[in-house]
Amino acid sequence: MYRSPRPEFSPPMLRFFLRARAFAAGESAGIFYESVRRMAGLDRATFKCALRGTLRKAGPRAALWAVLGHFPADHGITLTDDGGQEP
């Protein structure tokens, strides 16, 4: 039986998803970023770290993934504060 690999919830992957969603938003990318930041309850500095792919803290990363509609816990994954994840 084929078993698909576990999804990756790393800081660079979060960056990729944020930028892809902003690209899909088109001209309103700035509005998209601001709404995602507010829904996740993050300050601007923390959100900028996410956009650079350097956000390592698990709490803010989990909040952003949740706003994007992806939940690490649904795949049995726990985010760690070093930017990694544990099965």
Side-chain angles (χ1 to χ4, degrees):
M1 177 175 160
Y2 174 74
R3 187 168 186 177
S4 64
R6 290 189 180 254
E8 181 181 339
F9 292 98
S10 67
M13 186 60 73
L14 178 59
R15 174 184 161 215
F16 172 78
F17 267 76
L18 286 169
R19 290 178 183 241
R21 291 280 181 92
F23 180 78
E27 294 179 17
S28 59
I31 295 169
F32 168 79
Y33 283 145
E34 187 63 18
S35 66
V36 167
R37 182 188 71 78
R38 286 183 180 184
M39 284 189 282
L42 302 178
D43 59 30
R44 285 185 172 87
T46 303
F47 190 73
K48 284 182 182 181
C49 286
L51 289 178
R52 286 192 307 263
T54 60
L55 181 60
R56 300 176 89 47
K57 289 289 193 181
R61 284 175 39 223
L64 285 168
W65 279 115
V67 170
L68 293 173
H70 298 280
F71 303 92
D74 288 351
H75 302 279
I77 293 173
T78 302
L79 300 179
T80 60
D81 280 336
D82 64 354
Q85 63 188 44
E86 295 176 345

